[in-house]
Amino acid sequence: MQIWVDADACPQVIKDILFRAAERTQVPTTLVANTPLRTPASSFVRSIRVGKGFDVADHWIVQQVQPGDLVITADIPLAAEVIARAAHALDPRGEMYSEDNVRERLAVRNLMQELRSAGEIVGGPAPFGHADRQRFANQLDRLLGRHRPPPSR
C-alpha cells in the first residue's frame, strides 16, 4: 500500500498526521501538488511537484494509484476515479469514500455548483475543526491497521 495526497488543498494538520503515520507504519506517502511543499526528512515521505493547470495533480495521482492504495482528497471526481481503480479514498475530514457514497456526493456536488453559479448559494464548506481532524486520524488508523502486512518470520 502507498498513500497519495492531493496536497494543494490538504490542511497542514492532516499532512502532519500523515507524516507521523508514514513513519510509524513505514508506508510510502507521496504528496502531489503544483506548488512547492515542505516535507520532513524521511525515507517514507516525498513530494512531487506537477505542472500548473486544472486537475493536473489529480490526473497524475490517477495514473500512479494501484489497487489497495490510499488517496487523501477532498476532490470528489478524483475520489470517484480512485474508487473505480479499486483503491481507497479518504476525505481530509475523515469520511471514507465508497462506490455508493461517491456517486451521491458527485450528484450533490454538481447540484451545489449549479446553485452557486445561479447565485442561489454563497459560501463554502464549514471551517475545518478539531472533530474533523480526530475523525480523519481515526479513519486513517483503522485503514492502516487493516492493511498492515503480516510480520515477517
Side-chain angles (χ1 to χ4, degrees):
M1 171 193 261
Q2 289 195 52
I3 299 174
W4 304 95
V5 183
D6 183 9
D8 283 319
C10 186
Q12 185 61 46
V13 67
I14 296 303
K15 292 175 192 169
D16 293 339
I17 291 169
L18 289 163
F19 297 154
R20 288 190 300 271
E23 285 299 315
R24 185 180 73 246
T25 62
Q26 300 183 350
V27 172
T29 300
T30 304
L31 285 77
V32 182
N34 58 25
T35 58
L37 296 172
R38 286 184 305 168
T39 58
S42 167
S43 55
F44 302 105
V45 177
R46 69 182 179 131
S47 67
I48 299 289
R49 186 173 175 189
V50 296
K52 293 199 181 302
F54 186 69
D55 289 341
V56 174
D58 298 356
H59 295 303
W60 194 92
I61 290 170
V62 168
Q63 291 172 349
Q64 305 302 312
V65 74
Q66 298 294 313
D69 284 355
L70 172 61
V71 175
I72 309 302
T73 186
D75 186 286
I76 300 166
L78 173 57
E81 288 194 57
V82 166
I83 296 297
R85 295 180 182 277
H88 306 281
L90 176 60
D91 183 276
R93 292 179 183 262
E95 181 181 357
M96 284 297 297
Y97 295 99
S98 67
E99 283 186 34
D100 294 331
N101 72 12
V102 79
R103 275 180 267 163
E104 177 183 319
R105 300 254 329 250
L106 272 171
V108 169
R109 172 191 171 270
N110 293 340
L111 173 64
M112 296 300 280
Q113 274 187 326
E114 287 178 29
L115 292 173
R116 273 190 211 94
S117 67
E120 299 290 325
I121 294 179
V122 292
F128 189 83
H130 179 74
D132 298 314
R133 180 178 132 317
Q134 191 62 49
R135 199 169 29 257
F136 175 84
N138 291 341
Q139 283 285 18
L140 180 65
D141 282 346
R142 275 194 288 278
L143 189 66
L144 291 175
R146 285 196 313 259
H147 292 88
R148 187 167 291 144
S152 49
R153 295 185 178 205

